[in-house]
């Protein structure tokens, strides 16, 4: 496995990679969720490239950029074990050199859900992902459903800017109690870690209500919120039942629907989601 710290180093390696090239962008501190994306890329591609970059522009000044967990050595070992061909691990100067002044904004989709709470977040995500796509030059890119709005925004970006890249969205990998794996779970104290499983249970409740025929979005939101609020260590930020294509809040569940939530649990801001009806994919394959 090669590690490229600069764009120039990567370019040299890229010319020797067997195609198709699959790409998995990450912020590091890898867990099984990230590795499942690598495996998904490996099924479809002859070479897998992963990137590790904690992207400052997607964090607001009040957020956890400095505290974000990092362990490059361990990450490289995990990726090597997965048979990754190249890891692109640039520093901040390489990604945002002096004079950097071009930003990518996906408009409407980013005003909702995570974007409503974190107004500059998706501008940072879209910009770094567009830059990484141009540097890495993959045929396929794999993202996790865990960050559902991010996958939807990247799908829009790929279509709108005409990237010749197939987007694959892989299922959320969970701990045994259902908590979605996240690098941020390391912020949780033991009691908070136990309490956080209520988030998954609230999504399962939404699925169960839907399976019983409930189609009123407000009823589902309220039931989820009541369950989450029964756990004092978990502070809901939002519970959403929205149309998958527009991310507008739904009144009735018709067609593909994204049920998503964000909650503060101690120092960790956690997100999770399911798509209804179960088994539906988040984005259509292009
Ligand atoms: P991050 O390092 O948090 O920026 O995540 C990098 C990629 O891994 C994104 O596409 C995430 O959606 C994906 N990811 C994060 N957590 C999980 C998980 N538990 N299961 C599947 N994919 C995940």
């Amino acid at each position: 496995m090669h590690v490229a710290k600069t764009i120039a180093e990567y370019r040299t390696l890229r010319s020797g990679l067997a195609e198709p090239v699959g790409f998995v962008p990450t912020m590091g501190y890898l867990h099984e969720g990230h590795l499942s994306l690598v495996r998904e890329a490996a099924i479809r591609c002859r070479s897998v490239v992963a990137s590790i970059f904690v992207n400052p522009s997607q964090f607001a000044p009040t957020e956890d950029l400095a505290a974000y967990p990092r362990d490059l050595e361990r990450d490289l070992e995990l990726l090597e074990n997965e048979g990754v061909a190249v890891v692109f691990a640039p520093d901040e100067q390489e990604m945002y050199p002096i004079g950097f002044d071009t930003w990518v904004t996906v408009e409407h989709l980013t005003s909702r859900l995570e974007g409503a709470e974190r107004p500059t977040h998706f501008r940072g995500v879209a910009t770094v992902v567009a830059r990484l796509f141009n540097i890495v030059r993959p045929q396929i890119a794999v993202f996790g459903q865990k960050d559902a709005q991010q996958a939807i925004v990247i799908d829009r970006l790929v279509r709108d800017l005409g990237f010749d890249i197939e987007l694959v969205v892989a299922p959320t990998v969970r701990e045994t109690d259902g908590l979605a794996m996240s690098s941020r779970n390391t912020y949780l104290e033991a009691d908070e870690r136990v309490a956080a499983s209520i988030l998954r249970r609230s999504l399962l409740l939404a699925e169960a209500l839907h399976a019983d025929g409930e189609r009123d979005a407000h009823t589902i939101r309220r039931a989820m919120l009541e369950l989450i609020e029964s756990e004092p260590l978990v502070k809901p930020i939002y519970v959403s039942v929205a149309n998958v294509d527009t991310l507008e809040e739904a009144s009735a569940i018709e067609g593909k629907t994204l049920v998503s939530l964000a909650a503060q649990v101690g120092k960790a801001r956690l997100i999770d989601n399911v798509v209804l009806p179960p088994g539906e994919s988040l984005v259509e394959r292009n």
Side-chain angles (χ1 to χ4, degrees):
M1 187 177 79
H2 297 278
V3 181
K5 299 251 179 194
T6 66
I7 297 168
E9 279 164 24
Y10 179 79
R11 286 216 170 114
T12 310
L13 295 165
R14 175 66 180 83
S15 56
L17 290 180
E19 297 192 330
V21 170
F23 178 42
V24 179
T26 83
M27 298 206 300
Y29 212 71
L30 303 180
H31 50 66
E32 275 298 313
H34 298 112
L35 300 181
S36 76
L37 307 189
V38 170
R39 289 171 203 142
E40 202 70 46
I43 290 169
R44 295 175 161 79
C45 299
R46 290 182 67 203
S47 313
V48 179
V49 175
S51 65
I52 297 177
F53 179 61
V54 182
N55 174 34
S57 73
Q58 70 190 67
F59 289 78
T62 51
E63 292 178 354
D64 58 339
L65 174 63
Y68 198 85
R70 291 161 168 88
D71 190 345
L72 183 61
E73 215 167 294
R74 180 173 166 276
D75 289 347
L76 294 179
E77 208 175 295
L78 290 169
L79 294 172
E80 177 141 42
N81 289 341
E82 296 296 331
V84 165
V86 180
V87 178
F88 180 54
D91 66 13
E92 212 177 308
Q93 304 307 315
E94 193 69 6
M95 288 305 279
Y96 297 103
I98 291 168
F100 184 94
D101 201 22
T102 302
W103 296 93
V104 179
T105 309
V106 176
E107 301 250 326
H108 291 95
L109 288 171
T110 63
S111 64
R112 305 185 179 278
L113 303 173
E114 288 298 285
E117 296 292 323
R118 310 175 70 194
T120 57
H121 173 68
F122 286 113
R123 175 186 187 254
V125 169
T127 301
V128 83
V129 168
R131 186 157 161 77
L132 286 168
F133 281 175
N134 281 326
I135 294 165
V136 172
R137 285 185 290 123
Q139 277 80 29
I140 291 176
V142 188
F143 287 81
Q145 186 185 318
K146 158 77 174 21
D147 299 274
Q149 187 178 12
Q150 171 172 278
I152 291 168
V153 166
I154 300 302
D155 180 54
R156 188 73 265 156
L157 168 90
V158 165
R159 290 168 194 270
D160 291 354
L161 296 188
F163 281 106
D164 189 11
I165 295 174
E166 183 191 337
L167 193 68
V168 173
V169 180
T172 302
V173 176
R174 300 178 177 283
E175 304 286 355
T176 45
D177 67 351
L179 179 67
M181 289 191 182
S182 165
S183 310
R184 289 189 166 100
N185 291 350
T186 92
Y187 300 153
L188 297 170
E189 304 290 346
D191 52 349
E192 295 164 350
R193 169 65 192 81
V194 173
S197 68
I198 197 92
L199 298 175
R200 172 59 174 164
R201 279 183 277 140
S202 78
L203 293 168
L204 291 174
L205 174 62
E207 280 189 350
L209 289 169
H210 181 264
D212 284 348
E214 182 59 66
R215 293 293 178 270
D216 183 61
H218 178 66
T219 304
I220 292 182
R221 277 185 218 104
R222 202 183 45 212
M224 291 174 67
L225 206 55
E226 269 172 24
L227 181 63
I228 297 169
E229 281 170 345
S230 72
E231 178 45 79
L233 293 176
V234 179
K235 310 283 179 224
I237 299 169
Y238 64 78
V239 170
S240 161
V241 178
N243 176 293
V244 158
D245 298 317
T246 61
L247 297 182
E248 282 169 24
E249 288 304 314
S251 49
I253 298 186
E254 298 158 338
K256 245 201 284 184
T257 302
L258 177 66
V259 180
S260 65
L261 56 82
Q264 194 71 37
V265 189
K267 289 200 215 63
R269 185 182 184 287
L270 303 179
I271 58 172
D272 201 351
N273 69 85
V274 290
V275 176
L276 295 177
E280 286 287 332
S281 65
L282 199 57
V283 301
E284 297 306 323
R285 299 290 291 274
N286 25 344

mmCIF file of all heavy atoms in Angstrom, residues 71-90:
data_model
loop_
_atom_site.group_PDB
_atom_site.id
_atom_site.type_symbol
_atom_site.label_atom_id
_atom_site.label_comp_id
_atom_site.label_asym_id
_atom_site.label_seq_id
_atom_site.Cartn_x
_atom_site.Cartn_y
_atom_site.Cartn_z
ATOM 1 N N ASP A 71 -5.829 8.995 14.460
ATOM 2 C CA ASP A 71 -4.822 7.954 14.704
ATOM 3 C C ASP A 71 -4.383 7.397 13.349
ATOM 4 O O ASP A 71 -4.810 6.316 12.930
ATOM 5 C CB ASP A 71 -5.406 6.846 15.605
ATOM 6 C CG ASP A 71 -4.336 5.874 16.082
ATOM 7 O OD1 ASP A 71 -3.217 5.879 15.490
ATOM 8 O OD2 ASP A 71 -4.593 5.110 17.022
ATOM 9 N N LEU A 72 -3.520 8.164 12.683
ATOM 10 C CA LEU A 72 -3.153 7.838 11.300
ATOM 11 C C LEU A 72 -2.488 6.464 11.195
ATOM 12 O O LEU A 72 -2.784 5.679 10.291
ATOM 13 C CB LEU A 72 -2.245 8.928 10.710
ATOM 14 C CG LEU A 72 -1.850 8.733 9.249
ATOM 15 C CD1 LEU A 72 -3.071 8.711 8.338
ATOM 16 C CD2 LEU A 72 -0.874 9.822 8.787
ATOM 17 N N GLU A 73 -1.623 6.180 12.162
ATOM 18 C CA GLU A 73 -0.868 4.912 12.093
ATOM 19 C C GLU A 73 -1.815 3.702 12.103
ATOM 20 O O GLU A 73 -1.693 2.790 11.283
ATOM 21 C CB GLU A 73 0.071 4.833 13.286
ATOM 22 C CG GLU A 73 1.375 4.148 12.969
ATOM 23 C CD GLU A 73 2.373 4.398 14.089
ATOM 24 O OE1 GLU A 73 2.779 5.568 14.288
ATOM 25 O OE2 GLU A 73 2.693 3.423 14.775
ATOM 26 N N ARG A 74 -2.764 3.745 13.032
ATOM 27 C CA ARG A 74 -3.742 2.647 13.126
ATOM 28 C C ARG A 74 -4.599 2.590 11.868
ATOM 29 O O ARG A 74 -4.877 1.507 11.328
ATOM 30 C CB ARG A 74 -4.606 2.851 14.370
ATOM 31 C CG ARG A 74 -5.643 1.786 14.572
ATOM 32 C CD ARG A 74 -6.365 1.940 15.904
ATOM 33 N NE ARG A 74 -7.553 1.105 15.916
ATOM 34 C CZ ARG A 74 -8.724 1.453 15.410
ATOM 35 N NH1 ARG A 74 -8.878 2.640 14.861
ATOM 36 N NH2 ARG A 74 -9.748 0.631 15.464
ATOM 37 N N ASP A 75 -5.028 3.751 11.374
ATOM 38 C CA ASP A 75 -5.857 3.793 10.166
ATOM 39 C C ASP A 75 -5.124 3.138 8.992
ATOM 40 O O ASP A 75 -5.713 2.359 8.230
ATOM 41 C CB ASP A 75 -6.198 5.243 9.786
ATOM 42 C CG ASP A 75 -7.184 5.883 10.757
ATOM 43 O OD1 ASP A 75 -7.786 5.150 11.562
ATOM 44 O OD2 ASP A 75 -7.336 7.124 10.708
ATOM 45 N N LEU A 76 -3.840 3.443 8.849
ATOM 46 C CA LEU A 76 -3.076 2.905 7.715
ATOM 47 C C LEU A 76 -2.972 1.383 7.815
ATOM 48 O O LEU A 76 -3.069 0.674 6.813
ATOM 49 C CB LEU A 76 -1.688 3.542 7.651
ATOM 50 C CG LEU A 76 -1.671 5.053 7.344
ATOM 51 C CD1 LEU A 76 -0.234 5.584 7.321
ATOM 52 C CD2 LEU A 76 -2.367 5.368 6.017
ATOM 53 N N GLU A 77 -2.807 0.904 9.054
ATOM 54 C CA GLU A 77 -2.725 -0.539 9.256
ATOM 55 C C GLU A 77 -4.041 -1.214 8.837
ATOM 56 O O GLU A 77 -4.047 -2.232 8.123
ATOM 57 C CB GLU A 77 -2.467 -0.781 10.743
ATOM 58 C CG GLU A 77 -1.733 -2.047 11.054
ATOM 59 C CD GLU A 77 -1.443 -2.089 12.547
ATOM 60 O OE1 GLU A 77 -0.660 -1.228 13.031
ATOM 61 O OE2 GLU A 77 -2.021 -2.969 13.224
ATOM 62 N N LEU A 78 -5.160 -0.614 9.255
ATOM 63 C CA LEU A 78 -6.473 -1.187 8.915
ATOM 64 C C LEU A 78 -6.682 -1.189 7.402
ATOM 65 O O LEU A 78 -7.177 -2.165 6.829
ATOM 66 C CB LEU A 78 -7.596 -0.376 9.583
ATOM 67 C CG LEU A 78 -7.689 -0.507 11.108
ATOM 68 C CD1 LEU A 78 -8.655 0.525 11.694
ATOM 69 C CD2 LEU A 78 -8.142 -1.917 11.492
ATOM 70 N N LEU A 79 -6.298 -0.101 6.746
ATOM 71 C CA LEU A 79 -6.515 -0.003 5.300
ATOM 72 C C LEU A 79 -5.605 -0.963 4.547
ATOM 73 O O LEU A 79 -5.999 -1.565 3.552
ATOM 74 C CB LEU A 79 -6.306 1.449 4.832
ATOM 75 C CG LEU A 79 -7.353 2.437 5.375
ATOM 76 C CD1 LEU A 79 -6.972 3.877 5.030
ATOM 77 C CD2 LEU A 79 -8.750 2.114 4.845
ATOM 78 N N GLU A 80 -4.396 -1.118 5.047
ATOM 79 C CA GLU A 80 -3.472 -2.070 4.412
ATOM 80 C C GLU A 80 -4.056 -3.484 4.486
ATOM 81 O O GLU A 80 -4.026 -4.234 3.509
ATOM 82 C CB GLU A 80 -2.105 -2.007 5.104
ATOM 83 C CG GLU A 80 -1.132 -3.015 4.526
ATOM 84 C CD GLU A 80 0.280 -2.460 4.422
ATOM 85 O OE1 GLU A 80 0.723 -1.788 5.373
ATOM 86 O OE2 GLU A 80 0.933 -2.719 3.389
ATOM 87 N N ASN A 81 -4.631 -3.831 5.652
ATOM 88 C CA ASN A 81 -5.242 -5.162 5.811
ATOM 89 C C ASN A 81 -6.409 -5.390 4.864
ATOM 90 O O ASN A 81 -6.771 -6.532 4.572
ATOM 91 C CB ASN A 81 -5.743 -5.361 7.249
ATOM 92 C CG ASN A 81 -4.593 -5.521 8.220
ATOM 93 O OD1 ASN A 81 -3.471 -5.841 7.805
ATOM 94 N ND2 ASN A 81 -4.839 -5.269 9.495
ATOM 95 N N GLU A 82 -7.033 -4.303 4.421
ATOM 96 C CA GLU A 82 -8.169 -4.414 3.492
ATOM 97 C C GLU A 82 -7.714 -4.445 2.037
ATOM 98 O O GLU A 82 -8.532 -4.501 1.127
ATOM 99 C CB GLU A 82 -9.154 -3.251 3.684
ATOM 100 C CG GLU A 82 -9.827 -3.211 5.038
ATOM 101 C CD GLU A 82 -10.721 -4.415 5.305
ATOM 102 O OE1 GLU A 82 -11.268 -4.980 4.336
ATOM 103 O OE2 GLU A 82 -10.851 -4.793 6.482
ATOM 104 N N GLY A 83 -6.417 -4.338 1.819
ATOM 105 C CA GLY A 83 -5.913 -4.400 0.444
ATOM 106 C C GLY A 83 -6.041 -3.096 -0.331
ATOM 107 O O GLY A 83 -6.039 -3.100 -1.574
ATOM 108 N N VAL A 84 -6.152 -1.987 0.384
ATOM 109 C CA VAL A 84 -6.231 -0.674 -0.282
ATOM 110 C C VAL A 84 -4.920 -0.410 -1.030
ATOM 111 O O VAL A 84 -3.833 -0.714 -0.540
ATOM 112 C CB VAL A 84 -6.518 0.417 0.782
ATOM 113 C CG1 VAL A 84 -6.254 1.819 0.252
ATOM 114 C CG2 VAL A 84 -7.959 0.284 1.271
ATOM 115 N N ALA A 85 -5.052 0.160 -2.244
ATOM 116 C CA ALA A 85 -3.852 0.389 -3.064
ATOM 117 C C ALA A 85 -3.130 1.667 -2.647
ATOM 118 O O ALA A 85 -1.907 1.686 -2.507
ATOM 119 C CB ALA A 85 -4.247 0.472 -4.540
ATOM 120 N N VAL A 86 -3.905 2.752 -2.488
ATOM 121 C CA VAL A 86 -3.288 4.041 -2.150
ATOM 122 C C VAL A 86 -4.137 4.749 -1.101
ATOM 123 O O VAL A 86 -5.371 4.788 -1.211
ATOM 124 C CB VAL A 86 -3.185 4.974 -3.392
ATOM 125 C CG1 VAL A 86 -2.527 6.304 -3.008
ATOM 126 C CG2 VAL A 86 -2.407 4.318 -4.520
ATOM 127 N N VAL A 87 -3.465 5.315 -0.103
ATOM 128 C CA VAL A 87 -4.136 6.218 0.840
ATOM 129 C C VAL A 87 -3.651 7.622 0.541
ATOM 130 O O VAL A 87 -2.436 7.877 0.512
ATOM 131 C CB VAL A 87 -3.812 5.846 2.302
ATOM 132 C CG1 VAL A 87 -4.488 6.830 3.259
ATOM 133 C CG2 VAL A 87 -4.251 4.422 2.603
ATOM 134 N N PHE A 88 -4.601 8.508 0.287
ATOM 135 C CA PHE A 88 -4.262 9.917 0.092
ATOM 136 C C PHE A 88 -4.516 10.619 1.429
ATOM 137 O O PHE A 88 -5.655 10.669 1.905
ATOM 138 C CB PHE A 88 -5.123 10.514 -1.027
ATOM 139 C CG PHE A 88 -4.844 11.969 -1.304
ATOM 140 C CD1 PHE A 88 -3.550 12.403 -1.580
ATOM 141 C CD2 PHE A 88 -5.869 12.905 -1.296
ATOM 142 C CE1 PHE A 88 -3.277 13.750 -1.839
ATOM 143 C CE2 PHE A 88 -5.616 14.250 -1.553
ATOM 144 C CZ PHE A 88 -4.319 14.669 -1.825
ATOM 145 N N ALA A 89 -3.440 11.097 2.045
ATOM 146 C CA ALA A 89 -3.543 11.699 3.382
ATOM 147 C C ALA A 89 -2.844 13.061 3.376
ATOM 148 O O ALA A 89 -1.729 13.206 3.886
ATOM 149 C CB ALA A 89 -2.928 10.772 4.433
ATOM 150 N N PRO A 90 -3.494 14.048 2.785
ATOM 151 C CA PRO A 90 -2.862 15.358 2.644
ATOM 152 C C PRO A 90 -2.930 16.146 3.949
ATOM 153 O O PRO A 90 -3.739 15.831 4.818
ATOM 154 C CB PRO A 90 -3.741 16.041 1.589
ATOM 155 C CG PRO A 90 -5.097 15.456 1.834
ATOM 156 C CD PRO A 90 -4.866 14.024 2.253
#
